[in-house]
């Protein structure tokens, strides 16, 4: 029972900190505000996170990166047997879901990037680069099957993943980057346009 309560308190602290960091900023969020948001005394945060709110931010990012890395790998494994159009739709939809299911953390990454240390920025860079390399490898296999033409697969992967990111950045920064269509229609248009660009002549 104690272990369950401790795990719940730890999770509540992480969620409270994430919400406040996204709303008020990292520097605008005192430790006391995090404790009060979960109706706990002033010393509770340091009991679970001796490094204070900086440790909380590190844990939030680390756990988030690990989760997204495993989910992206799983998605790329599931598309191996799909035709190109269905595979691209699956990738774009799942990646959009992965980023939009935690808008608060996305806001923190955009607004508080100056707070991140070298290890955290390296982890984020590695996560993005890993996505590019895995997707480029999928494109090479698609080319070997005759589905797409020969091209720079790394650049093609970056181009497609960037188009996906456009649909997630807008809601985070409050600017409508893509045209005024629903997200499913955007993904369909993006995939059809890409398939047409990449198809064998």
């Amino acid at each position: 029972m104690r272990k369950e309560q401790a795990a719940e308190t730890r999770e509540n602290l992480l969620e409270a900190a994430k919400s406040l960091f996204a709303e008020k900023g990292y520097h605008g969020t005192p430790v006391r505000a995090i404790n009060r948001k979960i109706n706990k005394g002033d010393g509770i945060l340091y009991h679970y996170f001796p490094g204070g709110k900086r440790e909380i931010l590190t844990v939030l990012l680390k756990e988030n990166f690990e989760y997204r890395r495993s989910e992206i790998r799983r998605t790329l494994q599931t598309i191996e047997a799909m035709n190109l159009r269905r595979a691209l739709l699956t990738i774009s939809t799942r990646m959009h879901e992965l980023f939009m299911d935690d808008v608060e953390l996305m806001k923190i990454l955009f607004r508080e990037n100056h707070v991140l240390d070298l290890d955290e920025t390296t982890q984020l860079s590695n996560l993005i680069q890993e996505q590019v390399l895995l997707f480029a490898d999928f494109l090479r296999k698609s080319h070997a099957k005759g589905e797409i033409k020969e091209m720079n697969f790394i650049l093609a992967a970056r181009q497609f993943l960037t188009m996906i990111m456009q649909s997630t950045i807008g809601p985070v920064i409050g600017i409508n980057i893509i045209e005024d269509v629903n997200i499913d229609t955007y993904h369909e248009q993006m995939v059809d346009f890409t398939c047409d660009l990449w198809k064998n002549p």
Side-chain angles (χ1 to χ4, degrees):
M1 190 66 174
R2 285 182 182 175
K3 287 182 178 179
E4 291 175 1
Q5 289 175 341
E8 183 180 357
T9 299
R10 178 185 182 276
E11 189 62 29
N12 288 341
L13 283 166
L14 287 170
E15 288 299 315
K18 182 171 65 174
S19 175
L20 289 168
F21 291 164
E23 179 187 355
K24 301 179 181 299
Y26 175 81
H27 291 298
T29 302
V31 169
R32 181 176 293 179
I34 300 172
N35 293 326
R36 287 182 177 173
K37 190 169 179 65
I38 65 167
N39 299 314
K40 297 288 185 179
D42 286 344
I44 194 71
L45 185 144
Y46 289 106
H47 174 74
Y48 289 91
F49 301 97
K53 66 178 185 177
R54 188 64 188 80
E55 183 179 348
I56 280 191
L57 180 60
T58 298
V59 171
L60 280 171
L61 295 176
K62 183 175 183 292
E63 293 182 356
N64 186 274
F65 292 162
E66 289 174 353
Y67 169 71
R68 275 161 175 69
R69 175 175 283 114
S70 65
E71 286 297 308
I72 290 167
R73 282 179 174 172
R74 186 176 292 113
T75 300
L76 288 170
Q77 288 171 354
T78 64
I79 65 172
E80 290 290 336
M82 297 179 184
N83 65 43
L84 182 65
R85 186 178 189 278
R86 186 177 169 208
L88 295 184
L89 276 173
T90 300
I91 293 169
S92 62
T93 301
R94 185 59 184 137
M95 286 191 66
H96 179 80
E97 290 170 351
L98 279 173
F99 285 98
M100 294 310 297
D101 69 358
D102 201 342
V103 175
E104 288 180 334
L105 197 74
M106 291 290 289
K107 287 180 179 178
I108 293 168
L109 282 173
F110 274 90
R111 296 176 183 172
E112 308 294 338
N113 60 78
H114 60 285
V115 179
L116 306 184
D117 61 28
L118 180 60
D119 182 57
E120 289 160 350
T121 55
T122 299
Q123 285 184 55
L124 181 57
S125 297
N126 289 342
L127 175 63
I128 295 170
Q129 184 60 16
E130 184 178 322
Q131 291 176 42
V132 170
L133 293 176
L134 288 171
F135 187 48
D137 187 55
F138 166 77
L139 295 181
R140 287 188 190 93
K141 293 175 182 176
S142 297
H143 170 66
K145 291 188 289 188
E147 292 185 309
I148 59 175
K149 63 186 177 183
E150 176 73 37
M151 57 186 164
N152 185 321
F153 297 114
I154 294 289
L155 286 180
R158 285 181 180 150
Q159 179 188 47
F160 186 73
L161 295 175
T162 298
M163 287 194 292
I164 296 173
M165 288 300 297
Q166 286 182 336
S167 67
T168 63
I169 292 173
V172 174
I173 63 176
I175 298 174
N176 186 14
I177 296 177
I178 64 174
E179 60 190 29
D180 192 20
V181 296
N182 70 55
I183 193 61
D184 292 332
T185 301
Y186 174 75
H187 286 162
E188 293 267 357
Q189 292 174 345
M190 178 181 70
V191 166
D192 288 338
F193 175 76
T194 302
C195 286
D196 189 55
L197 279 179
W198 291 351
K199 69 183 178 183
N200 272 315

